Amino acid sequence: RKKTPGLAGAGKLTANLAGRQAEEAELPSGQFRRRHHQDMDRQMDVVKTASNWARAEMISSTLFAVIGVLFMLVSLSLWQLGRTDMARAFVLPGLVAGGLLVVLGVGLFIPAQTRLGAIPAAYGADPGAFLNAEMARADKVLNDYRIAAFRVFPAIIALCALLIPFVDATAWRAALITAIAMFTVLIVIDGSANTRLKDYRQQLSAFDAAMRR
């Protein structure tokens, strides 16, 4: 008769726990206490590191939203105070770019906030699975940064800059300049997040290696 995956996994977990308990029972009391303290310190370090990264994500998301609001405020100011056609041409592109940045910021902030609250429970339930999931997520985001922030966005900025001299309509010029400003913001914030994420990924690898010893 075939064992179900759930029963097999539970049996494996029970066997691992039993083996660990038997191993710890054979240790002198001083070594047992030292190992217990090391495990507790490692757990606190992992949870603290993951929580710090989630907070950094929330800060980056907040920056997107704040800069988006500034874009919209500048656009509204130009709508009220702009005296030239070129100044008024920035109103609509600025509102659109600001709205996109606000939506992006809020859309990234909420999942990061949810993940921050779930980190202690997720790590406590299965430390190995938590580390594997975090490393996989970090690798995916780093790959996204490599493609978007360091290839696609610079290409879009270069294209917009090349088109500006060949466009006579003020509306199109304003749209291209606003696009350059928006994608520059994305590159700066994502570039900073990319550096922090590389450090976080290295820390996760170190925690994983320590756990396997």
Side-chain angles (χ1 to χ4, degrees):
R1 182 179 176 184
K2 253 177 145 178
K3 290 185 178 179
T4 62
L7 292 177
K12 184 178 179 181
L13 178 60
T14 303
N16 290 339
L17 289 174
R20 180 69 180 272
Q21 289 172 352
E23 180 185 349
E24 290 174 347
E26 295 175 359
L27 292 173
S29 59
Q31 291 185 20
F32 173 77
R33 285 195 298 270
R34 189 159 53 249
R35 174 175 289 186
H36 178 69
H37 288 315
Q38 288 174 350
D39 290 343
M40 292 299 294
D41 290 342
R42 185 183 302 121
Q43 176 178 350
M44 292 176 63
D45 288 342
V46 172
V47 172
K48 180 181 178 181
T49 301
S51 298
N52 288 341
W53 166 245
R55 292 189 186 96
E57 284 187 306
M58 292 169 62
I59 292 173
S60 296
S61 305
T62 303
L63 282 176
F64 281 129
V66 169
I67 294 174
V69 171
L70 291 177
F71 267 63
M72 291 190 287
L73 289 176
V74 170
S75 298
L76 292 175
S77 298
L78 290 174
W79 179 46
Q80 292 292 326
L81 304 175
R83 294 292 180 264
T84 65
D85 291 339
M86 190 63 193
R88 288 183 173 273
F90 279 99
V91 173
L92 183 58
L95 290 174
V96 172
L100 290 174
L101 289 172
V102 170
V103 170
L104 176 63
V106 173
L108 293 174
F109 182 90
I110 294 174
Q113 186 180 40
T114 302
R115 189 162 51 252
L116 175 63
I119 285 172
Y123 181 81
D126 192 337
F130 174 81
L131 285 175
N132 289 335
E134 283 294 290
M135 287 190 290
R137 189 174 71 85
D139 289 338
K140 180 183 180 303
V141 176
L142 284 171
N143 185 60
D144 292 342
Y145 284 151
R146 181 176 60 83
I147 295 172
F150 302 127
R151 292 184 182 179
V152 177
F153 295 165
I156 293 175
I157 289 175
L159 179 62
C160 291
L162 288 173
L163 289 175
I164 289 174
F166 301 99
V167 175
D168 293 328
T170 55
W172 281 105
R173 281 177 173 255
L176 292 171
I177 294 171
T178 304
I180 291 174
M182 184 185 73
F183 283 108
T184 300
V185 168
L186 293 175
I187 290 174
V188 170
I189 296 178
D190 285 348
S192 176
N194 179 74
T195 301
R196 293 195 304 270
L197 184 55
K198 284 182 178 178
D199 293 337
Y200 178 53
R201 179 63 176 84
Q202 291 176 352
Q203 290 174 311
L204 291 175
S205 297
F207 289 137
D208 185 59
M211 185 177 293
R212 294 178 186 277
R213 284 202 297 265

